[in-house]
Amino acid sequence: MNANHHESSGPSRTQQITLRGPAELADALPFMLGFHPTDSVVLVALHGERGRFGGRVRLGIPRSPLEWASVADHLAECLVDGGAKGGTRPDGIVVFLCQDPSAGETGRGVMERLRPFAQHLRTACGALDIPVYEALCISDGLFFSYCCPDARCCPPDGTPLALSGTSVMAAAAAYAGVQVRGSLRDMEGRFMPSGGPREEAQRAALDASAASIVPRILEGAEGRGREEVRETTLRIAREVLRRFVNPKRPGQEVPMSPTDRKDRTGMGKADTATAEGDAADDALVGIDEAAALIIGLQDRVTRDRAAEWMEGWEASAALRLWRVLARRCVSPYQEHAAAPLTLAGWVAWSTGDEPTARVALGLALQADPEYVFAQLLHQACNEGLDPESLRSCLRSERDTRTTSAPSVPHASRRVRMRATRPQGARQTLRKPPRPTGGGERRSTAGVRPSGAATGKPGSGTPRHGGQRGTRSGR
């Protein structure tokens, strides 16, 4: 199986509409996921006599046909088990295979090449006593049906997809405020290094920061070096957050885009930043600053404190910063991207942007499949849990830390860095009760992040705090 972790989600909460036929099913897929699922297999559960949409799972199409049978069994089991946990076992399933043609290949060629995979998926669902009502291949602007034998509605050479914004699903989505964020490839690209002449300089800066920071964290006398690195990392991060709100640097002018102005008041429902906006964000973070932040965030306590930037202007600026840092994790530091990618996923989930959260957390698990914090958040997001319980925990620990005297770290405190791996059994999530106000609240994902709160942009008066860890290994 390829490294792309599967995504799942619970039943849709949008308004009810009726879709008729394969054409409207194909058009509805991006609105169900929030993006165009390039190079993906998607299974959507149907419930009841009217075929109400339920949970869905997505996975990158395995490159090797030898993996198709096992992947089909896994996806079918994930979708059915997820529905069973919610008390609603699917009554049917719709399968989508989405892949662009390779050089010299046609859309119909893609459809025929993936036909055995579609058959494996239909067989796997049937083995669980759940029929596949429709299986579609979407490629090169066309859709093909593996189930419909009627050439009048599903010709062998494919049917063009509806023009963007003209379908009943597009109209309903526009009314409900649902926005498609582009292709999955485009969304992933915003978190990945783009290459270029600065890559070598960034690699050298990462080498220098690792040589300087890691020994201080691991060998600092009685933890003083470790705590100094944490405070320095958080101080640099706070400075950059305020820089995103007020992007003018000494001796440098960076134009502010309409998206940047919007971000002053918090995060919008749709991520409308462009490549130009990402380039402007990159210009606001120096090479040495990025290296220090990337290495510093490998300490889980530092990362957990940074997770407190989850609301209002802090959330908007933090998501942009974590994107920049993920893009700066050049070879051979790709694995270090797990920390900023997980923080990006957390901020996106906390602010209601679940498609971006799933993309960021999926990439974090590609960078490090054993990164526990990403595993827990990914599972919580996929199971439709409410992030408020984790937000409440973060607020509580921040308030506790700012009202108590800082404590001196104990010399025996164990530090987990990026090079370590969690020991023992893999952790799982349990759905907590929704907070009802008052009392101590526990984290959604079984973690207890802590962090230093920041002041208003430009105030220059951050709050300082002591030390608190997580229950996970990451």
Side-chain angles (χ1 to χ4, degrees):
M1 186 185 301
N2 63 6
N4 192 358
H5 289 255
H6 75 267
E7 301 162 7
S8 61
S9 63
S12 174
R13 296 181 177 87
T14 58
Q15 68 182 93
Q16 295 183 1
I17 61 173
T18 300
L19 301 180
R20 298 176 177 86
E24 293 187 354
L25 279 175
D27 180 72
L29 181 60
F31 298 98
M32 287 190 281
L33 299 178
F35 52 84
H36 294 275
T38 49
D39 195 29
S40 297
V41 50
V42 181
L43 272 63
V44 180
L46 302 177
H47 298 274
E49 295 180 357
R50 299 178 62 86
R52 174 179 54 83
F53 285 143
R56 50 260 189 196
V57 295
R58 187 204 65 83
L59 183 70
I61 295 176
R63 294 182 178 88
S64 173
L66 297 177
E67 301 177 15
W68 288 353
S70 60
V71 168
D73 292 339
H74 172 69
L75 289 175
E77 291 172 2
C78 284
L79 185 61
V80 174
D81 291 347
K85 287 180 181 179
T88 54
R89 196 171 189 268
D91 297 304
I93 291 175
V94 176
V95 173
F96 299 89
L97 294 174
C98 308
Q99 192 172 72
D100 293 332
S102 58
E105 193 175 27
T106 64
R108 182 170 181 175
V110 172
M111 182 270 293
E112 294 294 349
R113 176 168 51 81
L114 296 178
R115 185 183 291 276
F117 190 21
Q119 186 58 41
H120 283 304
L121 291 164
R122 297 174 69 182
T123 302
C125 295
L128 299 174
D129 295 326
I130 300 178
V132 172
Y133 290 150
E134 183 60 88
L136 299 177
C137 177
I138 300 176
S139 180
D140 197 25
L142 305 170
F143 74 84
F144 306 81
S145 174
Y146 292 112
C147 297
C148 180
D150 192 344
R152 293 172 297 179
C153 62
C154 299
D157 291 329
T159 304
L161 295 170
L163 294 176
S164 178
T166 62
S167 68
V168 61
M169 189 67 176
Y175 178 78
V178 176
Q179 185 172 0
V180 177
R181 293 162 174 79
S183 72
L184 174 62
R185 186 180 296 110
D186 292 338
M187 294 180 70
E188 290 179 337
R190 299 189 65 199
F191 291 103
M192 301 174 70
S194 58
R198 296 185 61 182
E199 187 167 306
E200 186 59 39
Q202 187 64 69
R203 184 180 299 109
L206 285 165
D207 289 341
S209 291
S212 171
I213 293 174
V214 173
R216 293 171 60 196
I217 293 178
L218 298 179
E219 303 170 7
E222 299 183 356
R224 286 194 292 269
R226 182 168 64 244
E227 189 62 28
E228 289 174 359
V229 170
R230 288 173 181 161
E231 294 303 324
T232 299
T233 302
L234 293 169
R235 175 182 54 79
I236 295 173
R238 293 185 198 108
E239 291 175 355
V240 176
L241 291 187
R242 297 189 183 100
R243 197 179 298 159
F244 281 143
V245 178
N246 182 19
K248 184 176 180 181
R249 297 182 64 185
Q252 179 183 23
E253 287 284 349
V254 178
M256 183 182 293
S257 69
T259 300
D260 297 332
R261 297 188 185 96
K262 179 180 180 180
D263 284 342
R264 286 178 178 269
T265 59
M267 217 157 125
K269 292 182 180 179
D271 190 350
T272 58
T274 60
E276 290 78 10
D278 286 343
D281 287 346
D282 283 327
L284 295 173
V285 184
I287 291 175
D288 292 334
E289 289 175 322
L293 290 173
I294 290 168
I295 302 301
L297 287 172
Q298 306 313 306
D299 171 48
R300 62 180 177 83
V301 176
T302 307
R303 177 208 66 198
D304 292 344
R305 291 183 184 179
E308 283 188 358
W309 301 323
M310 59 186 175
E311 298 172 293
W313 73 270
E314 290 177 331
S316 176
L319 179 56
R320 294 163 62 189
L321 173 58
W322 307 144
R323 276 196 176 109
V324 170
L325 296 185
R327 292 194 292 267
R328 300 291 183 89
C329 291
V330 299
S331 174
Y333 290 89
Q334 298 98 322
E335 197 170 310
H336 287 64
L341 285 168
T342 301
L343 288 169
W346 158 238
V347 171
W349 182 43
S350 175
T351 53
D353 187 357
E354 292 188 7
T356 297
R358 292 192 181 94
V359 169
L361 294 171
L363 289 174
L365 291 172
Q366 286 187 43
D368 184 354
E370 298 181 19
Y371 201 75
V372 177
F373 193 24
Q375 291 173 350
L376 298 173
L377 290 175
H378 197 248
Q379 183 177 347
C381 183
N382 285 340
E383 291 186 357
L385 303 185
D386 188 350
E388 177 54 30
S389 56
L390 181 51
R391 285 196 298 261
S392 177
C393 177
L394 286 163
R395 297 188 200 104
S396 176
E397 294 199 358
R398 176 189 62 198
D399 294 342
T400 299
R401 190 175 59 253
T402 56
T403 56
S404 61
S407 59
V408 177
H410 196 276
S412 64
R413 182 179 179 90
R414 185 176 181 180
V415 182
R416 286 193 181 269
M417 291 294 294
R418 287 288 300 109
T420 65
R421 288 286 188 263
Q423 303 295 323
R426 180 171 175 174
Q427 301 189 37
T428 59
L429 284 169
R430 295 181 180 178
K431 184 176 293 188
R434 288 179 179 265
T436 56
E440 183 179 354
R441 297 169 182 167
R442 298 182 68 84
S443 162
T444 302
V447 293
R448 305 258 325 206
S450 60
T454 59
K456 295 182 179 180
S459 66
T461 57
R463 301 177 185 175
H464 299 283
Q467 176 174 316
R468 193 84 177 254
T470 66
R471 294 187 179 184
S472 73
R474 295 298 175 92

